Amino acid sequence: ASLNTLSSSAKALNPLGVLKRGYAAVFSDENKVITSADNLSVGETINLKFADGTVKSKVEGIKQESSGN
């Protein structure tokens, strides 16, 4: 693979690049990655990491979605 191809692939997989596209990463108060709503409880404090900063939030409700969505 060419250097340009490898560079493009690395940029596409860079987590900061994903955040810059409008996504956020969710972490527990203990700084563990939250990958599912099933891992949260109402009243729990979470941290949302955006490309330009982090927001501390409190879970007020949880709506389950089917995995087909």
Side-chain angles (χ1 to χ4, degrees):
S2 74
L3 185 56
N4 286 340
T5 303
L6 291 174
S7 176
S8 294
S9 295
K11 285 180 184 176
L13 296 173
N14 179 345
L16 186 55
V18 173
L19 298 180
K20 286 181 177 179
R21 291 195 302 270
Y23 292 91
V26 183
F27 295 89
S28 69
D29 233 9
E30 295 80 31
N31 210 31
K32 294 184 180 178
V33 176
I34 303 295
T35 59
S36 170
D38 285 338
N39 298 334
L40 295 171
S41 302
V42 172
E44 187 173 353
T45 300
I46 57 174
N47 296 293
L48 306 172
K49 173 139 181 65
F50 297 90
D52 62 349
T54 302
V55 175
K56 184 171 249 184
S57 303
K58 190 167 289 258
V59 177
E60 292 186 354
I62 298 170
K63 179 182 175 191
Q64 296 294 332
E65 301 282 337
S66 66
S67 59
N69 289 345

